[in-house]
Amino acid sequence: MIHILHLSGHALGWLAIVVAALGVVYSSAAAIVFKRYFASATPAPVRHEAVTLLKPLYGDEPRLYDNLASFLTQEHHGPVQLLCGIQRKDDPAIQVVAALKAAYPAADIDLVLDGTVHGASGKLSNLINMEPFIRHDTVVLSDSDIAVAPDYLAQILRALDAPDIGLVTCVYAGRGDTGFWSHFGAAGVSYQFMLGLVFGVANKLAAPCMGSTIAMTRETLRRIGGFTRFADKLADDYAMGEAVRALGLEIAVPAMLVDHAFDETSFAALWRHELRWGATVRDVAFWPYVGIIIGLPLPVAVSSVLYWPTIGLILCALAVVARLVVVRNVDATVGRRIAPWWMALAHDGMSFALYIASFFVRSVDWRGATLTMKTEGRIVAAHKIQNAEQRA
């Protein structure tokens, strides 16, 4: 038995070394690919199409007004409808929308206040309630924590024009809005998740669809069944992308970044947020998610020290250098320092723990609601489970 355990530990040690070494190579290559991908960006001409911007809202986020205002200051010559959806009459986001209307009196800003519930997802219920009020043929959906540059619509519309493109989505950089933990989360998404995403897109290994932007025509939205089809999907953005691809259309990811705001004020809040992300990706793309481990060379290298100290320490040093190259390239591309460099290394440790934990999670927290994960990416709200148990 001791001999078997020794051999098992020996194999795990070598596995950790191999994974860490691959991770160092991957991180270095991904940093280069990231910089080159966005270096290919070119200015897009100002457009005249009529566009509806969909904004499902919930609560008054720290910079919600600024986020929404960035969509009203576009270099765009056509009609733009900003359609906001809110489900509660006492939601403070209502006052933010009112402030926007006062500050931009010429803007076409509509508010749908409807608490009707459709399925387990509050966000999708909101979108389903908003859908009948869409007025224009180009629809651009984005989360409330997204802020954009003035050429955002021009870039989106140009990408949507390309042959066989049915949907456009955007890569995002993290922005910390509420202190330490929000910056810590921004470091993780920018120096790790975003890096892997661009590497996959650039090498045609991934065709993501993310809530940062989902742009399509109203006809395409109709053909995929409208928002109602996704009412019980946790990864609703991924499911919309898959539905568009099932039509024989492709997803475009232009060389453009938007900002994704983090507002977590505690470790617990950030942990819940990122655990939900991890569990969601695990359910929709299990084997690619397993491979994400190579994006965490430092914690894997640290674990290899337990088995092969000398090799492990060398790999740790190389992993640190590779991650610092990532930080430098990402910050240079984004045009600002997202977070202190050491946060990238510290967040790798948290990501490793989250990665392990995500394989054992069957329920997630979503804005205070507990959602239980079922088969095929479906979710059920906790109150619905309780009602079903009571009826039984």
Side-chain angles (χ1 to χ4, degrees), residues 209 230 232-240 280-281 284 377 379:
C209 180
F230 311 100
D232 285 318
K233 295 286 187 179
L234 178 58
D236 52 86
D237 45 9
Y238 174 86
M240 287 182 204
T280 301
V281 177
V284 300
I379 50 172

Side-chain angles (χ1 to χ4, degrees), residues 40-390:
S40 67
T42 58
V46 174
R47 305 291 289 260
H48 295 79
E49 290 90 336
V51 178
T52 291
L53 302 171
L54 295 181
K55 284 290 180 179
L57 305 180
Y58 179 88
D60 183 8
E61 299 163 22
R63 291 178 60 182
L64 178 60
Y65 178 92
D66 294 335
N67 295 340
L68 295 176
S70 71
F71 289 84
L72 297 174
T73 54
Q74 291 294 300
E75 298 167 350
H76 184 75
H77 291 169
V80 175
Q81 176 196 21
L82 180 63
L83 182 56
C84 302
I86 296 175
Q87 293 182 283
R88 299 189 345 257
K89 294 181 179 179
D90 61 346
D91 194 314
I94 295 174
Q95 300 305 316
V96 176
V97 176
L100 279 172
K101 288 184 175 182
Y104 298 91
D108 182 6
I109 304 173
D110 293 325
L111 174 62
V112 176
L113 184 56
D114 188 340
T116 306
V117 175
H118 308 269
S121 171
K123 174 185 171 182
L124 264 296
S125 290
N126 208 348
L127 286 169
I128 292 165
N129 295 337
M130 295 161 67
E131 192 171 346
F133 299 92
I134 296 173
R135 287 206 302 272
H136 302 311
D137 289 335
T138 300
V139 180
V140 182
L141 161 65
S142 58
D143 291 338
S144 58
D145 52 15
I146 298 297
V148 298
D151 67 340
Y152 169 78
L153 276 181
Q155 295 283 357
I156 292 296
L157 292 171
R158 181 173 65 177
L160 197 57
D161 277 347
D164 300 322
I165 295 300
L167 185 149
V168 179
T169 194
C170 287
V171 180
Y172 49 89
R175 188 190 75 200
D177 285 355
T178 53
F180 179 85
W181 290 111
S182 66
H183 283 94
F184 199 71
V189 78
S190 303
Y191 302 138
Q192 188 182 96
F193 172 77
M194 181 172 64
L195 188 78
L197 187 69
V198 172
F199 185 84
V201 170
N203 291 285
K204 302 188 184 305
L205 301 172
C209 180
M210 299 166 289
S212 54
T213 291
I214 298 176
M216 67 182 88
T217 64
R218 186 157 50 169
E219 173 61 15
T220 300
L221 179 60
R222 183 195 65 78
R223 290 178 65 194
I224 64 174
F227 294 122
T228 303
R229 176 177 174 181
F230 311 100
D232 285 318
K233 295 286 187 179
L234 178 58
D236 52 86
D237 45 9
Y238 174 86
M240 287 182 204
E242 288 297 288
V244 169
R245 285 166 61 85
L247 298 177
L249 300 172
E250 298 299 323
I251 298 173
V253 185
M256 171 184 65
L257 286 163
V258 300
D259 283 340
H260 167 61
F262 281 77
D263 61 1
E264 286 76 15
T265 57
S266 68
F267 171 79
L270 183 61
W271 176 272
R272 289 193 298 269
H273 185 173
E274 298 200 16
L275 186 61
R276 174 173 57 82
W277 274 358
T280 301
V281 177
R282 175 209 68 197
D283 265 18
V284 300
F286 180 80
W287 289 113
Y289 184 70
V290 171
I292 283 177
I293 191 67
I294 70 164
L296 299 168
L298 183 55
V300 177
V302 169
S303 66
S304 73
V305 172
L306 300 174
Y307 302 97
W308 303 96
T310 302
I311 299 176
L313 288 173
I314 293 172
L315 284 172
C316 284
L318 292 173
V320 169
V321 171
R323 295 298 283 146
L324 293 181
V325 170
V326 166
V327 171
R328 184 192 65 182
N329 280 17
V330 170
D331 284 354
T333 302
V334 174
R336 59 181 170 84
R337 190 179 76 160
I338 292 168
W341 63 267
W342 60 266
M343 279 192 177
L345 306 182
H347 193 282
D348 283 358
M350 177 179 171
S351 292
F352 186 73
L354 282 162
Y355 177 77
I356 301 300
S358 66
F359 287 99
F360 303 97
V361 169
R362 295 312 311 168
S363 63
V364 294
D365 177 81
W366 174 245
R367 290 187 163 176
T370 299
L371 304 176
T372 298
M373 307 171 77
K374 299 295 184 180
T375 58
E376 299 179 350
R378 294 182 303 108
I379 50 172
V380 179
H383 67 86
K384 288 192 175 184
I385 296 173
Q386 293 171 358
N387 291 341
E389 290 175 346
Q390 291 170 357

